[in-house]
Amino acid sequence: GGPTRSTRFTLAGARAERRSTGAVWQEPGPPDRHAGGRIRLAPGPGRWQGSAVADRLGGEMVEVLLAEADIRRQVEAIGRRVTADYAGRPLCLVGVLKGSFVFLADLVRAIDLPLTVDFIGISSYAGTKSTGVVKITSDLVRPIEGLDVLLVEDIVDTGLTVRYLLDNLSTRRPASLKVCAMLVKPSRARVEGPVDYRGFAIPARFVVGYGLDHDGRFRNLPFVGALRRER
Ligand code: 5GP
């Protein structure tokens, strides 16, 4: 049997409810235990609801760290700064795949300038530990020589990935090269963090949502949350 005490939400309902920071959102577990593809939302800062605890086999809990509305406000603020800083220059945004695609999609619409977008794909992050190993799996489509390039990252953890990408891209002689990162974990920085535009500084927890994944999942969450693995 399923949970008995929690209110059940449809996905649409949950989207409306789960905006507030501190809410706990639970992924649907195995299909046989969660017929109908429903998810549950337990309100309150970092609390499990009793029924969610009873039902957590196979599920994962996501604690909301950055609510949708806070992210939107911050993306708009970054967009205004970029718009002012690059006025009249040939801006090219380079998104780092895959995680940055959500942030980049919102960011471009917050920038009021003519611009182009390209992507660079790097080897995906395995598990929850930083490997420091970076491999370009898909390169830019067009040359960036002479362009003002803004590298758009979802998250800067140790900074090794950004460092590698900056070294690589700078050999292609862009007119300028700066970094915009939605999330930064300052306590984890191992190289001088060259982040010019930063959305949020967050604690050293593994986060998902707003483009960020865990083993490929959770990218579509409209908020940023900390993953809590079940025992
Ligand atoms: P860095 O090289 O800065 O240590 O790591 C950067 C990459 O690690 C990011 O581009 C991202 O793919 C991954 N990463 C680091 N921290 C997190 C996290 O909390 N959540 C997720 N989903 N990925 C992370």
Side-chain angles (χ1 to χ4, degrees):
T4 51
R5 292 210 305 271
S6 73
T7 309
R8 286 186 165 246
F9 292 88
T10 61
L11 185 59
R15 276 184 195 280
E17 289 278 344
R18 71 194 187 206
R19 289 201 181 112
S20 60
T21 305
V24 174
W25 183 81
Q26 187 180 27
E27 271 271 294
D32 55 328
R33 291 174 57 82
H34 298 272
R38 283 153 182 259
I39 61 173
R40 281 169 306 287
L41 179 78
R47 279 190 290 116
W48 314 131
Q49 275 200 338
S51 52
V53 172
D55 204 43
R56 66 183 168 182
L57 269 179
E60 276 141 315
M61 296 281 198
V62 179
E63 183 186 337
V64 180
L65 291 187
L66 302 172
E68 206 175 343
D70 300 329
I71 295 172
R72 192 179 321 115
R73 246 193 317 277
Q74 195 65 356
V75 171
E76 281 164 10
I78 295 172
R80 281 192 296 272
R81 282 183 54 204
V82 171
T83 301
D85 293 353
Y86 287 87
R89 290 158 60 190
L91 179 59
C92 174
L93 298 186
V94 170
V96 183
L97 293 174
K98 297 178 188 169
S100 74
F101 80 101
V102 175
F103 175 42
L104 183 63
D106 285 343
L107 183 63
V108 288
R109 286 174 287 180
I111 298 174
D112 190 12
L113 291 174
L115 57 80
T116 58
V117 174
D118 208 338
F119 292 96
I120 193 160
I122 57 172
S123 58
S124 62
Y125 193 79
T128 58
K129 283 209 183 76
S130 182
T131 59
V133 177
V134 180
K135 183 176 147 221
I136 292 182
T137 54
S138 141
D139 207 349
L140 300 178
V141 171
R142 302 172 88 173
I144 53 170
E145 182 164 0
L147 298 179
D148 287 303
V149 172
L150 184 57
L151 187 66
V152 180
E153 262 283 19
D154 45 6
I155 185 164
V156 173
D157 187 13
T158 62
L160 293 171
T161 303
V162 163
R163 184 73 268 159
Y164 176 88
L165 288 170
L166 286 176
D167 289 347
N168 181 294
L169 294 178
S170 62
T171 66
R172 309 182 195 194
R173 304 151 162 288
S176 72
L177 182 55
K178 286 190 172 183
V179 177
C180 176
M182 181 65 201
L183 305 173
V184 177
K185 295 180 186 170
S187 67
R188 299 255 312 155
R190 280 175 50 192
V191 297
E192 206 43 46
V195 177
D196 304 281
Y197 302 91
R198 173 169 99 174
F200 298 91
I202 60 166
R205 294 179 69 180
F206 189 81
V207 294
V208 296
Y210 200 66
L212 289 159
D213 75 312
H214 177 256
D215 287 346
R217 289 162 59 220
F218 303 108
R219 293 192 195 276
N220 58 332
L221 300 183
F223 56 86
V224 171
L227 191 64
R228 292 180 166 188
R229 300 305 309 272
E230 298 306 305
R231 281 192 297 268

